Amino acid sequence: MKAIHHNSPARGQYQILEIADPTPGPTEVLLHVTATSLNRADLMQVAGHYPAPKGASELLGLDVAGTVIGLGSAVTDFEVGDNVCALVQGGGYAQQICVDEMMLLRLPERLSFTKAAAVPETFLTAFQALHWIADLQEGMTVLIHAGGSGVGTAAIQLCRLAGAVPIVTASPMKHARLKDLGAEICIDYRAQKFDEVVLAKTDGKGADIILDFVGGPYLEQNLHAVAMDGTIVCLGLLGGAGVEHLNMVRIVTKRVTISGTTLRSRSDDYRAALTADFRDRIWPSFADRTLQPVVDTIYDWEQVDEAHAYMAANANVGKIVLTIGE
């Protein structure tokens, strides 16, 4: 089969090369990959900041959508010809991949491969943060930073599905699209102090849940914006990890929970359990189109340089998808 290999962060350093075909283990299926999608983790891995977990493929790509073309000896729930998508720990930028059947989501009839490839990493990350970590409930207010990202657009929709109220930070050019997805309020993080806006819009109560991808530079404002007994879930450190001066009074007096998480490095059992819960509670909403994958742009895999440059420019709303060619 063919796969995309990367040699350095420089543009033009991606190559499509021949490698050995994978062989499924007993509980795995072999997929013909039709589409994969980009994640910030791909850019970080290319830059040398986010290596693949031990035992995972060194190839990029954390989402795949395609067709089952082979079965391990112990596979029971899937057949050759099934169209599926899955969260993987690496290897999505390739024509074939082996995936444990516990990680598979069978595609509804009207969900295309390119849209399905935009689901696993973003929606499972948002689902984990909102439901497994922060215990999202109807009526809660949720502040979502980087609202135009893949996880951000997923989180907006999951909040609405749960009857919660999403407030987002994003560039002004993205506001109209995010309001269409269900954002109650869009904050221009460059021109406005998001903590003051959140407190004003909630009559001083603050946000019950904050999903943060920025890290250190936002911590003080997050602690100001969070509600009593609120939860801040740290999903990234795009702005850096350091905090020069931290006054812990608000953490104590507001009884704030601060939780950090990554999904890629979780155990196989954890990711399988998360996928199973998502399959039961959330996946049916894609079949009836209550939830929609948000695809910004689709590139052929020969345009992977351009796709990565576009993601690095932070201009997308939703996911950037690669179609896997011959």
Side-chain angles (χ1 to χ4, degrees), residues 83 106-117 119 283-293 295:
N83 295 328
R106 186 176 280 105
L107 301 194
E109 287 185 6
R110 296 184 295 178
L111 188 62
S112 68
F113 290 120
T114 49
K115 286 188 175 181
V119 173
W283 192 236
S285 294
F286 286 92
D288 65 17
R289 297 193 175 186
T290 301
L291 296 177
Q292 293 275 358
V295 176

Side-chain angles (χ1 to χ4, degrees), residues 130-266:
L130 291 169
H131 288 279
W132 277 38
I133 296 174
D135 192 24
L136 178 67
Q137 301 293 323
E138 183 178 358
M140 283 185 168
T141 298
V142 182
L143 173 61
I144 304 165
H145 292 303
S149 66
V151 176
T153 57
I156 291 169
Q157 296 183 73
L158 291 177
C159 284
R160 284 303 186 189
L161 185 67
V165 180
I167 298 174
V168 304
T169 61
S171 302
M173 65 179 181
K174 302 179 181 181
H175 287 187
R177 182 71 179 101
L178 298 181
K179 286 184 177 180
D180 288 342
L181 288 173
E184 183 78 10
I185 299 165
C186 294
I187 302 170
D188 179 358
Y189 64 92
R190 292 190 179 96
Q192 299 172 282
K193 292 184 176 181
F194 68 79
D195 53 340
E196 295 179 356
V197 176
V198 170
L199 290 170
K201 297 296 183 181
T202 59
D203 296 324
K205 176 179 178 290
D208 301 289
I209 300 170
I210 298 178
L211 302 188
D212 179 45
F213 304 85
V214 178
Y218 272 15
L219 182 57
E220 184 176 350
Q221 280 184 270
N222 282 338
L223 289 171
H224 189 210
V226 72
M228 184 73 70
D229 295 310
T231 301
I232 300 171
V233 185
C234 301
L235 296 166
L237 299 168
L238 295 176
V243 179
E244 288 189 11
H245 304 288
L246 173 61
N247 186 335
M248 296 180 64
V249 169
R250 285 191 174 121
I251 298 176
V252 175
T253 57
K254 288 187 173 183
R255 302 187 295 270
V256 178
T257 298
I258 301 177
S259 180
T261 184
T262 59
L263 189 51
R264 188 184 190 188
S265 60
R266 296 280 189 174

